[in-house]
Amino acid sequence: MDNDVQNNIYYNPPGQTTEKKNEPKIKLKKRDLIFALLFLIVGFLIVDFVFFHGFNLGFTLAFTALFAVMTVYLFERKNKASAFTYICGALSLAGAVTFSLHKDLMINSIMVFLVLALFGIYVCGISGVFCHNQGSYKMLFDALRSVFVSPISDAPHITGAYGREVSKGKACKNVLIGIALAIPALLVIVPLLSSSDAAFENLVKVIFKNIGIYLLEILLALAVTPYLIFYAVSKKYNDKLEKTTTGKKYKGIVQSPVTVSFLSVISITYIVYLFSQLAYFFSAFSGILPEGYSYSASVYARRGFFEMFAICVINMIIIALANILTKRVRGKIPTPVKILSSFILIFTVVILITAMAKMKLNIEIFGLSKNRLLVSVFMIMIFVIILFYLIHIFAPKISYMQPIIVICSAMFIALAFTNVDAMIVKYNVSAYNDGRLDTIDVHYVDSLSDSSVINIIELADCDDHKVAKEARTLIMLSIRDKYSDCFNLNNIDDYKSDVVYKPDKDFRTYNYSTDKACRVLEKYYNSLSPAEREKLHSQYAFDTGDYYYDEEKDTYEDYDDNRCNVYSYNSKTDMYEFATSYNCENPNYSEPF
């Protein structure tokens, strides 16, 4: 092609481009080097605060630091993030706060994944790396790709960019030389300072005492930091690195008659199931029930709940796959598929309502537990998902993924803030005291998190002597074993001496529920008179059920060595008397009181 000299236009010869060969895809700035150091500090905080000090206040602080550094590094005005992005960021911060409030292994485990997922969506939003509509399920694939694929695939380009900046930067070399020269000087200065001042000497001893742990933390931080840098830089320079494009619109791979036939068979099966339920309401259909079948609340509450819950989950998966894989007609899902999908979803709602009724009755009869509470919450989340997906089927332009993520995340975070274990115990204790529950499992209450301690103390003064005895036993075991590191127990055998709670001075391990539990135990024990403390020690210390104390008679019953005969001990007369005996053909036989 000829060059146009008059208009100063130069045309490249065929086969040549204006781009230089082997030109780097990204060129870093000094700002990137500064933030690399900040990410190293954040990596060390994550290792030290979380890996070595658990999911307490340290997790909240470390995540907040990561959130702040990542936000400042990635934020640009040209990337106009949606309100949904900022809501996800706010929810991730709120979720991180719950770790410093309550120590609940199950809730915290779920919350870790939820907080990181919301943070991943937030990072994608402020960096503008979403390739798909944020109202579609496809945005989740963008978030997963940005976390697991982009940092690894872009690592060579990012490593090369940092290598070029460091090699041509005299400042970095000078800093490293200065640090190296300072080390010999410190070997002389530090011992002299230690000899001159006791406080500094003690500080040096503490540092060198834990030098092995610090070195391990530094090594782990050096392993974590590269991923943080790759993750952040791959979002910062996403437009210059390889970017996945949407390409042509997805048209599906399954013919609509296949999908319609499949959904029709499922729908007919559900119609037959609904028909069978008439047997419970109309005598004309009673022949469907098994001979001798009798209805009871407990049978209704127990039977079929988990099967119904599984059907709800399976139906959601079926409908999602059917709508994703079915070939479009003029860019839309065929109408028969929409109708059948809607029927199955409505049937799922019916099953969901039935399952929720079963769970409600189950709780009323057998009490509240963590599993029952969490399953109830997840059922409400499924209802939210069905509602918004039904709307989306007939109004495809309306976003469904955003409200689902926001509402379900907010529900679970709110649940974590309300202190799940305290809610469970409070309900069970209240129901037991009101007579709605016949029994209460004190040991299950104790197996919950630190939040249950205050309710165990409430049970220690209840009218049921057996429950009170178990509660008081657990109080003593909590002070002497579970929280022994938190109390000064040197004079616990002196009944006139109080126990002293000594909070951990390390702010990284602080947890509100643990602190409150210890303070409640301290207050309860110290409020007892010396005589009451002596009775508590002699009757309940370390024992989990070998005897039963009767407060009205001021006696307790104990086994003999062979656990065959039971003797009653009267503290007033200080004498044992024969009470009863058991069949001892089996030497290990015992029957709890």
Side-chain angles (χ1 to χ4, degrees):
M1 183 179 292
D2 296 333
N3 293 323
D4 190 342
V5 180
Q6 182 177 357
N7 295 322
N8 295 324
I9 298 176
Y10 176 77
Y11 297 99
N12 291 318
Q16 295 186 12
T17 61
T18 55
E19 295 182 2
K20 296 180 180 179
K21 291 184 178 180
N22 300 324
E23 183 177 359
K25 288 191 175 184
I26 58 175
K27 294 181 180 179
L28 300 178
K29 304 174 184 177
K30 290 183 179 180
R31 183 173 182 269
D32 297 305
L33 298 178
I34 295 173
F35 272 91
L37 179 60
L38 292 177
F39 281 121
L40 175 61
I41 296 173
V42 170
F44 181 81
L45 291 179
I46 292 173
V47 170
D48 182 68
F49 284 22
V50 181
F51 294 174
F52 280 78
H53 292 89
F55 292 89
N56 299 295
L57 179 60
F59 179 91
T60 304
L61 297 176
F63 179 80
T64 302
L66 174 64
F67 187 94
V69 172
M70 194 71 74
T71 300
V72 175
Y73 180 67
L74 294 177
F75 182 79
E76 291 184 9
R77 291 185 178 181
K78 68 177 183 179
N79 296 328
K80 295 183 179 179
S82 63
F84 168 69
T85 296
Y86 292 113
I87 291 174
C88 287
L91 287 174
S92 68
L93 283 173
V97 172
T98 61
F99 289 89
S100 59
L101 298 179
H102 312 301
K103 187 178 292 185
D104 187 318
L105 180 60
M106 182 180 294
I107 298 296
N108 288 354
S109 300
I110 299 174
M111 189 62 71
V112 168
F113 291 102
L114 179 60
V115 167
L116 295 180
L118 291 169
F119 178 67
I121 295 173
Y122 168 75
V123 169
C124 288
I126 62 173
S127 57
V129 301
F130 279 119
C131 300
H132 300 92
N133 181 8
Q134 295 181 39
S136 168
Y137 71 93
K138 296 178 181 178
M139 62 163 287
L140 298 179
F141 294 107
D142 290 338
L144 290 172
R145 177 178 57 82
S146 71
V147 173
F148 297 106
V149 179
S150 297
I152 306 302
S153 61
D154 297 335
H157 304 293
I158 298 170
T159 303
Y162 273 101
R164 287 189 296 272
E165 290 298 318
V166 172
S167 63
K168 69 180 182 181
K170 294 182 179 180
C172 294
K173 294 180 181 178
N174 293 334
V175 169
L176 293 175
I177 292 172
I179 293 174
L181 293 174
I183 293 176
L186 289 175
L187 294 176
V188 178
I189 294 173
V190 170
L192 292 174
L193 290 175
S194 299
S195 300
S196 65
D197 184 78
F200 185 76
E201 180 184 14
N202 188 55
L203 176 62
V204 171
K205 288 181 179 178
V206 171
I207 293 174
F208 278 95
K209 180 181 179 181
N210 300 316
I211 190 67
I213 295 176
Y214 292 143
L215 289 175
L216 179 59
E217 289 183 353
I218 291 172
L219 290 175
L220 290 175
L222 292 174
V224 170
T225 302
Y227 173 80
L228 295 178
I229 294 174
F230 295 156
Y231 179 66
V233 176
S234 65
K235 307 300 169 291
K236 183 74 172 179
Y237 296 96
N238 180 69
D239 54 339
K240 296 180 181 179
L241 294 165
E242 183 178 356
K243 183 177 180 180
T244 302
T245 57
T246 57
K248 296 182 180 180
K249 286 187 175 182
Y250 177 72
K251 296 183 179 180
I253 58 175
V254 178
Q255 296 291 340
S256 60
V258 176
T259 306
V260 171
S261 301
F262 174 77
L263 295 179
S264 297
V265 173
I266 301 297
S267 299
I268 291 172
T269 303
Y270 288 155
I271 290 173
V272 173
Y273 173 83
L274 292 174
F275 179 82
S276 71
Q277 300 305 293
L278 298 176
Y280 293 103
F281 307 104
F282 301 102
S283 58
F285 298 92
S286 59
I288 298 175
L289 290 173
E291 186 177 352
Y293 178 87
S294 60
Y295 170 87
S296 68
S298 60
V299 171
Y300 176 80
R302 286 182 179 275
R303 180 169 180 176
F305 168 79
F306 289 103
E307 290 82 356
M308 287 185 172
F309 185 74
I311 289 173
C312 292
V313 176
I314 292 171
N315 285 350
M316 293 296 298
I317 295 173
I318 288 174
I319 297 305
L321 292 176
N323 284 267
I324 291 171
L325 299 177
T326 302
K327 285 189 174 182
R328 272 51 173 170
V329 178
R330 291 186 292 275
K332 297 181 179 180
I333 298 174
T335 301
V337 176
K338 290 184 178 180
I339 294 174
L340 290 170
S341 298
S342 300
F343 171 78
I344 292 176
L345 288 177
I346 292 173
F347 173 82
T348 305
V349 171
V350 174
I351 292 294
L352 195 62
I353 293 173
T354 305
M356 293 174 71
K358 284 176 173 284
M359 180 56 73
K360 180 176 180 294
L361 191 57
N362 199 321
I363 292 172
E364 290 176 352
I365 296 173
F366 304 105
L368 190 60
S369 68
K370 186 177 294 183
N371 290 338
R372 291 167 188 160
L373 179 62
L374 290 179
V375 169
S376 300
V377 173
F378 289 145
M379 285 193 293
I380 297 175
M381 290 181 181
I382 291 176
F383 182 81
V384 171
I385 294 171
I386 292 174
L387 175 63
F388 283 99
Y389 198 76
L390 271 172
I391 295 173
H392 171 72
I393 287 176
F394 295 98
K397 293 184 178 179
I398 296 179
S399 300
Y400 65 96
M401 187 54 65
Q402 290 177 338
I404 287 174
I405 290 175
V406 170
I407 294 175
C408 293
S409 299
M411 284 176 57
F412 193 83
I413 292 172
L415 179 69
F417 268 105
T418 57
N419 196 347
V420 174
D421 286 349
M423 184 193 310
I424 293 170
V425 177
K426 186 175 182 180
Y427 173 87
N428 288 340
V429 171
S430 176
Y432 176 74
N433 291 334
D434 295 344
R436 287 177 284 143
L437 289 178
D438 296 331
T439 60
I440 185 168
D441 189 345
V442 180
H443 289 276
Y444 174 74
V445 172
D446 182 63
S447 70
L448 299 175
S449 65
D450 303 320
S451 307
S452 64
V453 169
I454 188 171
N455 300 100
I456 293 177
I457 290 177
E458 181 180 345
L459 290 174
D461 297 322
C462 73
D463 296 332
D464 189 326
H465 297 313
K466 184 176 181 181
V467 172
K469 179 255 178 179
E470 291 178 347
R472 291 172 185 175
T473 300
L474 292 173
I475 290 173
M476 288 302 300
L477 292 175
S478 295
I479 295 175
R480 290 194 170 192
D481 296 337
K482 190 174 182 180
Y483 301 103
S484 59
D485 295 337
C486 302
F487 289 98
N488 183 359
L489 304 177
N490 294 332
N491 298 321
I492 194 170
D493 293 330
D494 181 3
Y495 306 126
K496 295 181 180 179
S497 299
D498 294 342
V499 296
V500 180
Y501 170 48
K502 46 179 184 178
D504 191 347
K505 296 181 180 179
D506 191 340
F507 66 91
R508 294 167 294 186
T509 59
Y510 175 80
N511 184 275
Y512 171 76
S513 293
T514 303
D515 180 72
K516 183 178 180 181
C518 292
R519 294 186 187 278
V520 168
L521 288 171
E522 178 190 40
K523 182 178 179 180
Y524 176 81
Y525 183 87
N526 294 341
S527 65
L528 301 175
S529 66
E532 289 174 322
R533 294 178 191 177
E534 183 177 6
K535 180 186 291 187
L536 195 64
H537 279 255
S538 62
Q539 296 167 352
Y540 302 108
F542 297 113
D543 184 43
T544 57
D546 278 353
Y547 54 77
Y548 167 71
Y549 179 69
D550 188 336
E551 291 196 8
E552 293 182 357
K553 299 179 181 178
D554 194 20
T555 63
Y556 70 89
E557 296 177 344
D558 200 357
Y559 295 101
D560 62 7
D561 294 337
N562 296 321
R563 300 182 65 82
C564 298
N565 300 316
V566 180
Y567 294 88
S568 176
Y569 172 74
N570 190 312
S571 59
K572 294 180 180 178
T573 61
D574 194 24
M575 293 180 61
Y576 277 96
E577 296 178 357
F578 177 79
T580 186
S581 63
Y582 294 119
N583 182 358
C584 287
E585 293 179 1
N586 181 358
N588 297 322
Y589 173 84
S590 65
E591 182 175 332
F593 289 95

